[in-house]
């Protein structure tokens, strides 16, 4: 599959929701009528240009990505490999490192970070059908998260997670009386 075919497949699944056959007119019309789709459209275009290579493409993709970061407060670094079916619940405070390889049907919510500890660290690999709750932090080098995983809100993940599980960080509230 070529890079362009991958772009069309992503836009068909994420913007058109697989209801219509791909056409640029349908994609742009959907983006104009549904503002939530605009981020996915422009990020996919910028990432496509970045992966395509070339000085002009990389400059243009960086400019588009900077505008997206300012407008949506969401920073998915260019070069990040994300499969078909990306869904962003709320845009505020999302950061994803370009050292991430993410599978299909990935759902992420606000205030979530996916990153590596060191500049030259190993890639984080996330499988298909992964659902990440709000305020989650995934930080490690060479971390692997399997397929069909649900990560609860406010979780801290720094170890591998096998497939077909639900993971959350247990939190306890402690109430101390001042009387």
């Amino acid at each position: 599959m070529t890079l362009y075919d991958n772009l069309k497949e992503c836009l068909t699944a994420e913007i058109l929701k697989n209801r219509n056959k791909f056409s640029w007119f349908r994609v742009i019309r959907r983006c104009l009528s549904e503002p939530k789709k605009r981020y996915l459209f422009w990020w996919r275009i910028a990432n496509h240009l970045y992966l395509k290579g070339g000085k002009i493409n990389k400059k243009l993709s960086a400019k588009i990505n900077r505008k997206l970061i300012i407008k949506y407060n969401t920073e998915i670094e260019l070069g990040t490999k994300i499969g078909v079916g990306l869904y962003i619940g709320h845009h505020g405070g999302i950061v994803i490192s370009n050292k991430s390889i993410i599978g299909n049907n990935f759902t992420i919510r606000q205030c979530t970070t996916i990153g590596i500890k060191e500049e030259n660290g190993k890639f984080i690999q996330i499988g298909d059908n992964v659902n990440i709750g709000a305020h989650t932090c995934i930080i490690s080098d060479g971390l692997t998260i399997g397929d069909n995983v649900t990560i609860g809100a406010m979780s801290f993940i720094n170890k591998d997670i096998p497939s077909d599980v639900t993971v959350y960080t247990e939190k306890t509230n402690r109430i101390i009386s001042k009387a």
Side-chain angles (χ1 to χ4, degrees):
M1 175 181 287
T2 67
L3 200 57
Y4 182 70
D5 290 336
N6 184 46
L7 173 65
K8 287 183 2 181
E9 183 181 0
C10 290
L11 293 176
T12 301
E14 296 162 6
I15 308 298
L16 300 177
K17 294 290 185 192
N18 293 322
R19 289 184 219 145
N20 298 319
K21 188 177 174 190
F22 180 85
S23 81
W24 284 106
F25 176 76
R26 286 185 185 119
V27 169
I28 291 169
R29 186 176 68 195
R30 180 67 58 93
C31 288
L32 291 174
S33 65
E34 295 181 41
K36 201 166 186 176
K37 306 284 186 199
R38 287 183 200 144
Y39 179 87
L40 293 174
F41 172 77
W42 284 111
W43 185 81
R44 289 289 186 186
I45 295 294
N47 202 44
H48 172 76
L49 292 171
Y50 182 84
L51 294 173
K52 192 174 177 184
K55 190 175 181 180
I56 294 172
N57 286 339
K58 288 197 175 193
K59 275 189 167 185
L60 180 59
S61 66
K63 185 174 182 177
I64 293 169
N65 202 39
R66 273 193 307 275
K67 289 186 179 221
L68 289 173
I69 291 167
I70 291 166
K71 183 171 183 173
Y72 293 95
N73 194 23
T74 296
E75 182 179 358
I76 303 175
E77 291 183 8
L78 296 172
T80 305
K81 294 173 180 66
I82 300 178
V84 177
L86 170 63
Y87 176 76
I88 299 173
H90 299 283
H91 285 278
I94 294 174
V95 177
I96 301 176
S97 167
N98 63 358
K99 296 280 188 174
S100 304
I101 301 171
I102 300 171
N104 298 332
N105 303 318
F106 178 67
T107 300
I108 189 168
R109 291 178 183 76
Q110 70 272 16
C111 299
T112 298
T113 299
I114 300 173
I116 57 173
K117 291 193 287 187
E118 297 180 19
E119 185 70 28
N120 296 325
K122 296 179 184 174
F123 280 77
I124 294 175
Q125 295 188 358
I126 300 175
D128 295 337
N129 306 312
V130 174
N131 189 334
I132 298 179
H135 298 277
T136 296
C137 187
I138 300 171
I139 304 272
S140 186
D141 294 330
L143 178 86
T144 300
I145 297 174
D147 296 336
N148 306 312
V149 171
T150 299
I151 299 174
M154 296 175 51
S155 294
F156 177 74
I157 307 296
N158 65 350
K159 295 182 176 131
D160 290 349
I161 299 174
S163 295
D164 303 311
V165 296
T166 298
V167 178
Y168 64 94
T169 300
E170 199 167 327
K171 298 165 247 348
T172 57
N173 288 334
R174 207 166 172 197
I175 300 172
I176 300 171
S177 175
K178 292 185 180 187

